[in-house]
Amino acid sequence: QVQLVESGGGLVQAGDSLRLSCAASGRTFSNHATGWFRQAPGKERELVAAISGGGSLYYEDSVKGRFAIARDNAKNTVYLQMNSLKLEDTAVYYCASSPAYHIATLRSEYDYWGQGTQVTVSS
């Protein structure tokens, strides 16, 4: 059984940094694509960043240069480092795992999801 456990969310001020963690059991992250999605109130869930099994990276334009996705294979954990946080980054953040090895950008390409962690950025 595949389980994804997220941690690291919280309340921060604009300009601050935060690191989200997604620890997996039942699936080896290095063999699969992993994505970070977010959903703000009134908006659809959107892909923020993704990493393929081979380490290829994808970022949404609005977070390029500020966010970084990384993987620690020894810990089977994927991270999302968020720097220079803005008010518009406020959302529930979800990690998700795909059966695909290559980069996956669609919600339909992911079969396992974490429960979500709240990130709130205040001014």
Side-chain angles (χ1 to χ4, degrees):
Q1 176 174 317
V2 178
Q3 289 186 307
L4 307 179
V5 180
E6 301 165 343
S7 61
L11 174 64
V12 297
Q13 294 184 345
D16 286 354
S17 297
L18 204 60
R19 188 178 74 163
L20 306 182
S21 299
C22 178
S25 61
R27 175 174 283 180
T28 301
F29 270 152
S30 61
N31 293 331
H32 299 268
T34 303
W36 283 99
F37 292 77
R38 68 185 179 188
Q39 187 165 23
K43 295 186 176 181
E44 294 186 349
R45 192 171 301 186
E46 64 174 357
L47 179 66
V48 175
I51 183 170
S52 75
S56 297
L57 306 176
Y58 167 87
Y59 296 101
E60 187 212 18
D61 286 343
S62 67
V63 307
K64 285 182 178 178
R66 299 190 299 119
F67 290 11
I69 187 170
R71 184 175 65 225
D72 185 333
N73 292 337
K75 296 182 178 180
N76 202 33
T77 298
V78 171
Y79 305 93
L80 184 66
Q81 178 67 47
M82 304 184 293
N83 299 323
S84 301
L85 283 162
K86 303 175 179 180
L87 290 177
E88 53 263 41
D89 295 319
T90 295
V92 178
Y93 284 72
Y94 302 86
C95 66
S97 180
S98 173
Y101 183 82
H102 56 264
I103 283 285
T105 59
L106 303 177
R107 283 169 286 177
S108 61
E109 294 182 277
Y110 291 86
D111 57 354
Y112 290 98
W113 294 78
Q115 78 288 346
T117 185
Q118 177 72 47
V119 173
T120 302
V121 183
S122 64
S123 62

